[in-house]
Amino acid sequence: MAGAVDRARVEASDVVEDLFNAGVRFAHLSRDNERRTKAFGHELGLETDWNSCIDLNEQSAAFSTQSSPMLGGGGVTKLPRGIGAVRPHLRDVDNVPLLVSMFCNCQPRTVREMVQIYQENCELVCVVGSCGAPLSAS
C-alpha cells in the first residue's frame, strides 16, 4: 500500500499571515474533500473550526440539509453547499461565503464561478496556483 499527502511549504503559513496583516484575505480552493482541505488549511494557518469550509460540489448539496440558506439551532447560520447555493445565501442570509477561507470539492467550473461571485460583490481577486490554469484558458 502506498499513500501521498499534500504538505504546505514551511513558509506558507507565514505568507498567509503576512497577507492577512496587510488586509488581504486568503482563500484556499481545493479539489480535495472537506477533511483533506481543512487539514491542508490548518497547515496554512487558516481557521478550520465549524463554518470554515464551503463544499462547492452540487452533488454534495443534494445530500445535505444545508443546501439552502437556513438557520441552525440557536440562530447560527449554516453555510451553503454547492456553488448554486452561494448566490442565494449572499442575497437572502449574509455575506459569510465571501469571508470563508476554504472551499472543497472544487472543479474548474466552480472555481471560475466562485471568482465571478467575488467580483460581483466588488472583491478584487488574484488567483495563484493550479486553480488559475482553467481561468486563463477561458
Side-chain angles (χ1 to χ4, degrees):
M1 178 159 94
V5 176
D6 290 330
R7 302 289 309 204
R9 292 176 63 160
V10 175
E11 65 273 9
S13 63
D14 293 334
V15 171
V16 171
E17 184 178 356
D18 289 345
L19 289 169
F20 177 78
N21 290 336
V24 177
R25 275 188 281 115
F26 178 90
H28 173 57
L29 290 91
S30 172
R31 290 183 176 145
D32 289 328
N33 63 32
E34 184 173 356
R35 192 178 107 255
R36 289 186 68 175
T37 299
K38 283 186 171 186
F40 192 77
H42 179 75
E43 288 187 29
L44 294 173
L46 300 176
E47 177 65 43
T48 58
D49 289 336
W50 188 76
N51 266 3
S52 62
C53 185
I54 295 177
D55 188 335
L56 294 183
N57 185 337
E58 292 298 339
Q59 282 83 24
S60 298
F63 298 106
S64 172
T65 59
Q66 295 180 359
S67 62
S68 60
M70 59 190 289
L71 295 180
V76 178
T77 304
K78 293 183 179 181
L79 293 174
R81 293 186 70 84
I83 191 68
V86 174
R87 282 187 182 93
H89 185 102
L90 291 169
R91 182 185 64 239
D92 301 333
V93 181
D94 59 28
N95 71 336
V96 170
L98 298 175
L99 306 176
V100 169
S101 295
M102 290 178 289
F103 298 85
C104 65
N105 293 315
C106 297
Q107 298 299 318
R109 180 189 64 79
T110 59
V111 170
R112 280 193 303 273
E113 191 161 350
M114 195 62 217
V115 168
Q116 284 180 317
I117 290 169
Y118 277 122
Q119 292 171 331
E120 291 166 5
N121 288 276
C122 301
E123 298 286 341
L124 181 61
V125 179
C126 175
V127 179
V128 179
S130 60
C131 276
L135 294 173
S136 59
S138 61

Short mmCIF file of all heavy atoms in Angstrom, two decimals, residues 57-98:
data_model
loop_
_atom_site.label_atom_id
_atom_site.label_comp_id
_atom_site.label_asym_id
_atom_site.label_seq_id
_atom_site.Cartn_x
_atom_site.Cartn_y
_atom_site.Cartn_z
N ASN A 57 -19.35 21.40 -4.52
CA ASN A 57 -19.86 20.33 -5.37
C ASN A 57 -21.39 20.27 -5.29
O ASN A 57 -21.96 20.16 -4.22
CB ASN A 57 -19.27 18.99 -4.91
CG ASN A 57 -19.63 17.84 -5.80
OD1 ASN A 57 -20.62 17.86 -6.52
ND2 ASN A 57 -18.82 16.81 -5.75
N GLU A 58 -22.04 20.35 -6.46
CA GLU A 58 -23.51 20.30 -6.49
C GLU A 58 -24.06 18.97 -6.00
O GLU A 58 -25.11 18.92 -5.39
CB GLU A 58 -24.03 20.59 -7.91
CG GLU A 58 -23.79 22.01 -8.36
CD GLU A 58 -24.48 23.08 -7.51
OE1 GLU A 58 -25.45 22.78 -6.80
OE2 GLU A 58 -24.02 24.23 -7.55
N GLN A 59 -23.35 17.85 -6.26
CA GLN A 59 -23.83 16.55 -5.77
C GLN A 59 -23.82 16.51 -4.25
O GLN A 59 -24.68 15.89 -3.64
CB GLN A 59 -23.00 15.39 -6.33
CG GLN A 59 -23.34 15.02 -7.74
CD GLN A 59 -22.65 15.90 -8.76
OE1 GLN A 59 -21.61 16.49 -8.50
NE2 GLN A 59 -23.23 16.01 -9.95
N SER A 60 -22.86 17.16 -3.62
CA SER A 60 -22.83 17.21 -2.15
C SER A 60 -24.06 17.95 -1.63
O SER A 60 -24.61 17.59 -0.60
CB SER A 60 -21.57 17.93 -1.67
OG SER A 60 -20.43 17.24 -2.07
N ALA A 61 -24.48 18.98 -2.35
CA ALA A 61 -25.64 19.77 -1.92
C ALA A 61 -26.91 18.93 -1.93
O ALA A 61 -27.78 19.10 -1.08
CB ALA A 61 -25.80 20.99 -2.83
N ALA A 62 -27.02 18.02 -2.86
CA ALA A 62 -28.23 17.20 -2.98
C ALA A 62 -28.43 16.28 -1.78
O ALA A 62 -29.56 15.90 -1.46
CB ALA A 62 -28.17 16.37 -4.25
N PHE A 63 -27.35 15.95 -1.07
CA PHE A 63 -27.44 15.03 0.06
C PHE A 63 -27.34 15.75 1.40
O PHE A 63 -27.14 15.12 2.42
CB PHE A 63 -26.33 13.98 -0.02
CG PHE A 63 -26.46 13.13 -1.25
CD1 PHE A 63 -25.61 13.31 -2.32
CD2 PHE A 63 -27.47 12.18 -1.35
CE1 PHE A 63 -25.74 12.54 -3.46
CE2 PHE A 63 -27.60 11.41 -2.49
CZ PHE A 63 -26.73 11.59 -3.55
N SER A 64 -27.50 17.07 1.39
CA SER A 64 -27.31 17.83 2.61
C SER A 64 -28.54 18.67 2.94
O SER A 64 -29.17 19.23 2.07
CB SER A 64 -26.10 18.76 2.46
OG SER A 64 -26.01 19.63 3.55
N THR A 65 -28.84 18.78 4.21
CA THR A 65 -29.90 19.69 4.64
C THR A 65 -29.42 21.13 4.61
O THR A 65 -30.21 22.04 4.77
CB THR A 65 -30.37 19.35 6.06
OG1 THR A 65 -29.24 19.46 6.95
CG2 THR A 65 -30.96 17.96 6.14
N GLN A 66 -28.12 21.32 4.37
CA GLN A 66 -27.57 22.67 4.32
C GLN A 66 -27.59 23.23 2.90
O GLN A 66 -27.01 24.26 2.64
CB GLN A 66 -26.12 22.68 4.82
CG GLN A 66 -25.97 22.32 6.27
CD GLN A 66 -24.51 22.36 6.68
OE1 GLN A 66 -23.62 22.65 5.90
NE2 GLN A 66 -24.26 22.08 7.94
N SER A 67 -28.27 22.59 1.98
CA SER A 67 -28.19 23.01 0.58
C SER A 67 -28.91 24.32 0.30
O SER A 67 -28.69 24.94 -0.72
CB SER A 67 -28.76 21.92 -0.33
OG SER A 67 -30.11 21.69 -0.04
N SER A 68 -29.77 24.75 1.19
CA SER A 68 -30.39 26.05 1.02
C SER A 68 -30.11 26.88 2.26
O SER A 68 -29.90 26.35 3.35
CB SER A 68 -31.90 25.90 0.82
OG SER A 68 -32.48 25.27 1.94
N PRO A 69 -30.09 28.21 2.11
CA PRO A 69 -29.80 29.05 3.25
C PRO A 69 -30.81 28.80 4.37
O PRO A 69 -32.01 28.76 4.13
CB PRO A 69 -29.93 30.47 2.70
CG PRO A 69 -29.74 30.33 1.24
CD PRO A 69 -30.29 28.97 0.89
N MET A 70 -30.31 28.63 5.57
CA MET A 70 -31.20 28.37 6.70
C MET A 70 -30.46 28.64 7.99
O MET A 70 -29.25 28.75 8.01
CB MET A 70 -31.69 26.93 6.67
CG MET A 70 -30.58 25.90 6.71
SD MET A 70 -31.09 24.22 6.40
CE MET A 70 -31.97 23.84 7.86
N LEU A 71 -31.20 28.72 9.05
CA LEU A 71 -30.61 28.90 10.36
C LEU A 71 -30.62 27.57 11.08
O LEU A 71 -31.59 26.84 11.04
CB LEU A 71 -31.37 29.95 11.17
CG LEU A 71 -31.34 31.36 10.62
CD1 LEU A 71 -32.14 32.28 11.52
CD2 LEU A 71 -29.92 31.88 10.51
N GLY A 72 -29.52 27.29 11.74
CA GLY A 72 -29.44 26.08 12.55
C GLY A 72 -29.92 26.37 13.95
O GLY A 72 -30.45 27.44 14.25
N GLY A 73 -29.72 25.43 14.84
CA GLY A 73 -30.11 25.61 16.22
C GLY A 73 -29.42 26.82 16.83
O GLY A 73 -28.27 27.07 16.60
N GLY A 74 -30.17 27.60 17.61
CA GLY A 74 -29.59 28.78 18.26
C GLY A 74 -29.39 29.94 17.32
O GLY A 74 -28.70 30.89 17.64
N GLY A 75 -29.97 29.89 16.12
CA GLY A 75 -29.86 31.01 15.18
C GLY A 75 -28.52 31.09 14.48
O GLY A 75 -28.18 32.12 13.92
N VAL A 76 -27.72 30.05 14.50
CA VAL A 76 -26.41 30.04 13.85
C VAL A 76 -26.61 29.73 12.37
O VAL A 76 -27.23 28.74 12.02
CB VAL A 76 -25.47 29.00 14.50
CG1 VAL A 76 -24.14 28.97 13.79
CG2 VAL A 76 -25.28 29.32 15.97
N THR A 77 -26.09 30.58 11.51
CA THR A 77 -26.24 30.38 10.07
C THR A 77 -25.37 29.23 9.59
O THR A 77 -24.20 29.14 9.93
CB THR A 77 -25.84 31.66 9.31
OG1 THR A 77 -26.61 32.73 9.80
CG2 THR A 77 -26.07 31.51 7.84
N LYS A 78 -25.96 28.35 8.79
CA LYS A 78 -25.21 27.27 8.16
C LYS A 78 -24.72 27.75 6.81
O LYS A 78 -25.37 28.54 6.14
CB LYS A 78 -26.10 26.04 7.99
CG LYS A 78 -26.50 25.41 9.32
CD LYS A 78 -27.31 24.17 9.08
CE LYS A 78 -27.69 23.53 10.39
NZ LYS A 78 -28.47 22.31 10.18
N LEU A 79 -23.58 27.24 6.41
CA LEU A 79 -23.01 27.62 5.12
C LEU A 79 -23.74 26.95 3.98
O LEU A 79 -24.27 25.85 4.13
CB LEU A 79 -21.53 27.21 5.08
CG LEU A 79 -20.62 27.96 6.03
CD1 LEU A 79 -19.22 27.37 5.99
CD2 LEU A 79 -20.57 29.44 5.71
N PRO A 80 -23.75 27.59 2.81
CA PRO A 80 -24.35 26.94 1.63
C PRO A 80 -23.51 25.75 1.20
O PRO A 80 -22.32 25.68 1.47
CB PRO A 80 -24.32 28.05 0.58
CG PRO A 80 -23.20 28.94 0.99
CD PRO A 80 -23.16 28.88 2.49
N ARG A 81 -24.14 24.81 0.52
CA ARG A 81 -23.44 23.65 -0.03
C ARG A 81 -23.77 23.59 -1.52
O ARG A 81 -24.93 23.59 -1.88
CB ARG A 81 -23.84 22.37 0.68
CG ARG A 81 -23.35 22.37 2.13
CD ARG A 81 -23.61 21.07 2.83
NE ARG A 81 -22.80 19.96 2.36
CZ ARG A 81 -21.57 19.68 2.76
NH1 ARG A 81 -20.98 20.46 3.63
NH2 ARG A 81 -20.94 18.62 2.31
N GLY A 82 -22.73 23.55 -2.34
CA GLY A 82 -22.92 23.58 -3.78
C GLY A 82 -22.80 25.01 -4.27
O GLY A 82 -23.29 25.94 -3.64
N ILE A 83 -22.14 25.18 -5.41
CA ILE A 83 -21.92 26.52 -5.95
C ILE A 83 -23.25 27.24 -6.24
O ILE A 83 -23.35 28.44 -6.06
CB ILE A 83 -21.02 26.48 -7.22
CG1 ILE A 83 -20.57 27.88 -7.64
CG2 ILE A 83 -21.69 25.74 -8.37
CD1 ILE A 83 -19.63 28.55 -6.70
N GLY A 84 -24.28 26.47 -6.60
CA GLY A 84 -25.58 27.08 -6.89
C GLY A 84 -26.26 27.70 -5.69
O GLY A 84 -27.18 28.52 -5.84
N ALA A 85 -25.84 27.35 -4.49
CA ALA A 85 -26.46 27.90 -3.27
C ALA A 85 -25.74 29.14 -2.75
O ALA A 85 -26.24 29.81 -1.84
CB ALA A 85 -26.49 26.83 -2.18
N VAL A 86 -24.58 29.48 -3.31
CA VAL A 86 -23.80 30.60 -2.78
C VAL A 86 -24.49 31.94 -3.03
O VAL A 86 -24.66 32.75 -2.11
CB VAL A 86 -22.36 30.59 -3.34
CG1 VAL A 86 -21.59 31.84 -2.91
CG2 VAL A 86 -21.63 29.33 -2.90
N ARG A 87 -24.91 32.21 -4.27
CA ARG A 87 -25.56 33.50 -4.55
C ARG A 87 -26.85 33.69 -3.74
O ARG A 87 -27.05 34.76 -3.17
CB ARG A 87 -25.82 33.65 -6.05
CG ARG A 87 -24.59 34.03 -6.84
CD ARG A 87 -24.94 34.33 -8.31
NE ARG A 87 -23.77 34.65 -9.07
CZ ARG A 87 -23.04 33.77 -9.77
NH1 ARG A 87 -23.40 32.50 -9.80
NH2 ARG A 87 -21.98 34.18 -10.44
N PRO A 88 -27.75 32.68 -3.69
CA PRO A 88 -28.95 32.86 -2.85
C PRO A 88 -28.60 33.11 -1.38
O PRO A 88 -29.25 33.91 -0.71
CB PRO A 88 -29.71 31.54 -3.02
CG PRO A 88 -29.26 31.02 -4.34
CD PRO A 88 -27.83 31.44 -4.47
N HIS A 89 -27.57 32.46 -0.88
CA HIS A 89 -27.15 32.68 0.50
C HIS A 89 -26.71 34.13 0.68
O HIS A 89 -27.11 34.79 1.65
CB HIS A 89 -26.01 31.73 0.89
CG HIS A 89 -25.62 31.81 2.32
ND1 HIS A 89 -26.02 30.88 3.24
CD2 HIS A 89 -24.88 32.72 3.00
CE1 HIS A 89 -25.55 31.21 4.44
NE2 HIS A 89 -24.83 32.32 4.30
N LEU A 90 -25.91 34.64 -0.26
CA LEU A 90 -25.45 36.03 -0.18
C LEU A 90 -26.63 36.99 -0.24
O LEU A 90 -26.66 38.00 0.47
CB LEU A 90 -24.47 36.34 -1.31
CG LEU A 90 -23.11 35.65 -1.20
CD1 LEU A 90 -22.34 35.81 -2.50
CD2 LEU A 90 -22.32 36.20 -0.02
N ARG A 91 -27.60 36.70 -1.07
CA ARG A 91 -28.77 37.57 -1.24
C ARG A 91 -29.71 37.51 -0.03
O ARG A 91 -30.21 38.54 0.41
CB ARG A 91 -29.52 37.17 -2.51
CG ARG A 91 -30.74 38.03 -2.83
CD ARG A 91 -31.53 37.52 -4.03
NE ARG A 91 -32.09 36.20 -3.72
CZ ARG A 91 -31.83 35.09 -4.41
NH1 ARG A 91 -31.05 35.12 -5.48
NH2 ARG A 91 -32.37 33.93 -4.08
N ASP A 92 -29.95 36.31 0.50
CA ASP A 92 -31.01 36.11 1.49
C ASP A 92 -30.55 35.97 2.93
O ASP A 92 -31.37 36.10 3.84
CB ASP A 92 -31.83 34.86 1.13
CG ASP A 92 -32.45 34.95 -0.25
OD1 ASP A 92 -32.70 36.08 -0.74
OD2 ASP A 92 -32.66 33.89 -0.87
N VAL A 93 -29.26 35.67 3.15
CA VAL A 93 -28.83 35.37 4.52
C VAL A 93 -27.75 36.34 4.99
O VAL A 93 -28.01 37.21 5.82
CB VAL A 93 -28.35 33.90 4.65
CG1 VAL A 93 -27.94 33.58 6.08
CG2 VAL A 93 -29.43 32.94 4.19
N ASP A 94 -26.53 36.19 4.51
CA ASP A 94 -25.42 37.05 4.93
C ASP A 94 -24.26 36.92 3.94
O ASP A 94 -24.36 36.21 2.95
CB ASP A 94 -24.96 36.72 6.36
CG ASP A 94 -24.51 35.27 6.52
OD1 ASP A 94 -24.04 34.66 5.53
OD2 ASP A 94 -24.62 34.75 7.64
N ASN A 95 -23.17 37.64 4.22
CA ASN A 95 -22.01 37.63 3.33
C ASN A 95 -20.91 36.67 3.77
O ASN A 95 -19.79 36.72 3.26
CB ASN A 95 -21.43 39.04 3.22
CG ASN A 95 -20.73 39.48 4.49
OD1 ASN A 95 -21.02 38.99 5.58
ND2 ASN A 95 -19.82 40.43 4.37
N VAL A 96 -21.21 35.75 4.68
CA VAL A 96 -20.20 34.83 5.20
C VAL A 96 -19.50 34.04 4.09
O VAL A 96 -18.28 33.85 4.18
CB VAL A 96 -20.80 33.90 6.29
CG1 VAL A 96 -19.84 32.79 6.66
CG2 VAL A 96 -21.16 34.73 7.50
N PRO A 97 -20.18 33.60 3.02
CA PRO A 97 -19.43 32.88 1.97
C PRO A 97 -18.27 33.68 1.37
O PRO A 97 -17.31 33.10 0.88
CB PRO A 97 -20.49 32.57 0.91
CG PRO A 97 -21.75 32.47 1.70
CD PRO A 97 -21.61 33.54 2.76
N LEU A 98 -18.33 35.00 1.44
CA LEU A 98 -17.24 35.83 0.94
C LEU A 98 -16.08 35.89 1.94
O LEU A 98 -14.99 36.31 1.59
CB LEU A 98 -17.72 37.24 0.63
CG LEU A 98 -18.79 37.36 -0.45
CD1 LEU A 98 -19.26 38.80 -0.56
CD2 LEU A 98 -18.29 36.84 -1.77
#
